[in-house]
């Protein structure tokens, strides 16, 4: 059932963590590069982000050059509120005493009700492989996301890669014996970061997501080598208010910051802020966009929205 933390005490060893996170990225054909304590990887469309990611960071010209040489066309990273960038946020839990008392009285009552119907436990990642295809398809359909055999294969390759990797673990929420939701996350640099999260439409009424996120967060944040559990940064597409309310109902704290987007020197002369804004509006009028084009559209729009002291 996941990693035995008493027998394998290598978390916090950056070489160990970087080796295995790079192994995972290689398995799923995701470009990555290690820069000191930071692990940078592509999220598609040659947009690079990094972990750990729990607050403002700095990036010197030497590291930027390495990223450009590694194939990045865009880099996106958090900076302080008084810096150049666009308004953003991260949702984190860092309280080692995180528990039911962390929640508001209303949310605590709802969570207690959910936990009476839902059982949550950490399971071996390989044990989710059999039911994952149906749950993945169900989630894509409910969220009106593109889905076909190729999309499913990408997810299954990622799950299989995670199953062979000591940084990754799986938590699942059960209604009876049926999996209602599962999450696969990894540990890096003292943080716990989400990679895969799916659920079953017909079981959402039992609040399987609430129970899953609460129990897994509570258990993980208490580990000595973990100092924060992340529920992600602001999406480049923007987040639905309902999703942010859900995160806050779980006791995750919204950390306000800015994010900065920089463009590779070979591309930057072609993309001014004005051109980026116009390009994003043109792309937005296209009836059908692939996921890569959607990301490009979003990153150009956010690039054009940056404010503050110029760099």
């Amino acid at each position: 059932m996941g990693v035995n933390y008493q027998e394998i005490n290598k978390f916090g060893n950056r070489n160990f963590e970087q080796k295995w996170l790079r192994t995972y990225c290689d398995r799923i054909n995701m470009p990555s590069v290690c820069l000191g304590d930071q692990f940078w990887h592509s999220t598609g469309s040659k947009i690079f982000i990094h972990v750990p990611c729990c607050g403002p960071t700095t990036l010197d010209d030497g590291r930027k050059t390495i990223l450009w040489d590694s194939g990045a066309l865009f880099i996106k990273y958090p900076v302080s509120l008084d810096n150049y960038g666009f308004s953003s946020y991260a949702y984190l839990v860092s309280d080692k005493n995180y528990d039911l008392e962390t929640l508001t009285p209303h949310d605590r009552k709802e969570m207690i009700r959910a936990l009476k119907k839902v059982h949550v436990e950490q399971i071996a990642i390989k044990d989710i492989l059999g039911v994952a295809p149906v749950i993945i398809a169900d989630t894509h359909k409910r969220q009106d996301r593109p889905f076909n055999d190729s999309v499913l294969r990408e997810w299954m390759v990622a799950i299989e890669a995670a199953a062979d990797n000591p940084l990754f673990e799986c938590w699942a929420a059960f209604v009876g014996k049926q999996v209602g939701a599962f999450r696969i996350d990894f540990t890096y640099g003292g943080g716990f970061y989400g990679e895969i999260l799916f659920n079953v439409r017909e079981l959402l009424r039992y609040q399987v997501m609430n129970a899953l996120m609460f129990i897994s967060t509570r258990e993980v944040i208490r580990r000595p080598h973990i100092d924060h559990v992340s529920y992600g940064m602001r999406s480049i597409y923007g987040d639905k208010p309902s999703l942010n309310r859900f995160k806050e109902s779980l006791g995750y704290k919204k950390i306000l910051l800015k994010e900065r987007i920089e463009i590779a020197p070979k591309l930057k002369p072609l993309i001014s802020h004005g051109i980026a804004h116009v390009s994003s509006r043109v792309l937005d009028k296209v009836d059908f966009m692939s996921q890569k084009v959607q990301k490009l559209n979003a990153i150009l729009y956010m690039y054009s929205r940056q404010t503050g002291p110029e760099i």
Side-chain angles (χ1 to χ4, degrees), residues 174-191:
F174 296 85
V175 177
K177 295 183 178 181
Q178 185 176 359
V179 177
F182 72 92
R183 64 182 295 190
I184 296 177
D185 305 69
F186 64 91
T187 294
Y188 184 85

Side-chain angles (χ1 to χ4, degrees), residues 192-296:
F192 193 70
Y193 295 94
E195 181 70 4
I196 296 168
L197 178 62
F198 289 105
N199 50 63
V200 178
R201 179 203 299 259
E202 68 177 21
L203 297 180
L204 289 177
R205 66 180 183 272
Y206 295 106
Q207 298 175 294
V208 289
M209 283 293 295
N210 305 62
L212 173 66
M213 299 306 297
F214 172 75
I215 293 295
S216 57
T217 299
R218 185 186 67 182
E219 298 308 307
V220 169
I221 194 59
R222 293 177 179 179
R223 295 172 184 167
H225 59 279
I226 295 293
D227 55 40
H228 64 278
V229 177
S230 172
Y231 208 149
M233 302 281 292
R234 177 196 181 277
S235 168
I236 60 170
Y237 305 111
D239 291 325
K240 293 181 178 179
S242 59
L243 176 59
N244 287 345
R245 284 195 298 270
F246 174 70
K247 295 176 181 181
E248 291 164 7
S249 76
L250 295 168
Y252 277 75
K253 303 300 182 185
K254 187 176 186 178
I255 311 300
L256 297 178
L257 41 76
K258 279 187 173 181
E259 286 188 84
R260 178 179 298 165
I261 295 170
E262 297 192 40
I263 297 179
K266 63 183 178 183
L267 191 61
K268 191 171 183 179
L270 304 175
I271 304 180
S272 67
H273 284 74
I275 291 175
H277 180 66
V278 171
S279 298
S280 71
R281 294 192 66 177
V282 170
L283 287 172
D284 202 37
K285 295 181 182 297
V286 176
D287 290 335
F288 173 78
M289 290 191 289
S290 69
Q291 186 176 18
K292 287 185 177 180
V293 175
Q294 288 177 7
K295 284 186 177 181
L296 178 60

Side-chain angles (χ1 to χ4, degrees), residues 23-258:
T23 297
Y24 173 78
C25 289
D26 289 345
R27 282 277 299 271
I28 64 173
N29 294 317
M30 176 188 290
S32 64
V33 60
C34 301
L35 296 177
D37 292 345
Q38 297 174 347
F39 186 93
W40 288 81
H41 62 91
S42 173
T43 62
S45 299
K46 298 189 176 183
I47 302 166
F48 277 55
I49 63 173
H50 73 86
V51 290
C53 193
C54 55
T57 190
T58 57
L59 196 61
D60 60 39
D61 290 340
R63 292 189 173 193
K64 292 176 189 177
T65 297
I66 294 173
L67 288 167
W68 306 138
D69 291 345
S70 299
L73 292 181
F74 304 90
I75 54 177
K76 184 170 76 75
Y77 57 99
V79 294
S80 61
L81 288 171
D82 60 351
N83 234 307
Y84 181 76
F86 62 90
S87 297
S88 187
Y89 48 80
Y91 276 100
L92 303 172
V93 165
S94 57
D95 181 6
K96 288 287 187 180
N97 296 314
Y98 174 85
D99 209 332
L100 284 170
E101 289 72 25
T102 306
L103 311 184
T104 66
H106 171 76
D107 294 328
R108 187 184 313 135
K109 180 180 178 181
E110 289 298 305
M111 187 63 68
I112 291 172
R113 186 168 68 174
L115 294 175
K116 289 179 180 178
K117 300 168 287 187
V118 181
H119 170 66
V120 177
E121 64 178 283
Q122 185 183 349
I123 64 173
I125 297 177
K126 63 181 179 60
D127 291 344
I128 207 69
L129 288 169
V131 298
V134 173
I135 299 177
I136 293 170
D138 183 86
T139 304
H140 271 261
K141 182 178 179 180
R142 178 174 60 83
Q143 297 178 346
D144 197 27
R145 294 157 59 186
F147 186 77
N148 52 38
D149 289 343
S150 177
V151 171
L152 177 59
R153 183 57 192 156
E154 285 184 12
W155 282 119
M156 295 308 294
V157 167
I159 295 174
E160 290 163 3
D164 296 330
N165 196 304
L167 299 186
F168 288 76
E169 62 188 77
C170 180
W171 288 81
F174 296 85
V175 177
K177 295 183 178 181
Q178 185 176 359
V179 177
F182 72 92
R183 64 182 295 190
I184 296 177
D185 305 69
F186 64 91
T187 294
Y188 184 85
F192 193 70
Y193 295 94
E195 181 70 4
I196 296 168
L197 178 62
F198 289 105
N199 50 63
V200 178
R201 179 203 299 259
E202 68 177 21
L203 297 180
L204 289 177
R205 66 180 183 272
Y206 295 106
Q207 298 175 294
V208 289
M209 283 293 295
N210 305 62
L212 173 66
M213 299 306 297
F214 172 75
I215 293 295
S216 57
T217 299
R218 185 186 67 182
E219 298 308 307
V220 169
I221 194 59
R222 293 177 179 179
R223 295 172 184 167
H225 59 279
I226 295 293
D227 55 40
H228 64 278
V229 177
S230 172
Y231 208 149
M233 302 281 292
R234 177 196 181 277
S235 168
I236 60 170
Y237 305 111
D239 291 325
K240 293 181 178 179
S242 59
L243 176 59
N244 287 345
R245 284 195 298 270
F246 174 70
K247 295 176 181 181
E248 291 164 7
S249 76
L250 295 168
Y252 277 75
K253 303 300 182 185
K254 187 176 186 178
I255 311 300
L256 297 178
L257 41 76
K258 279 187 173 181

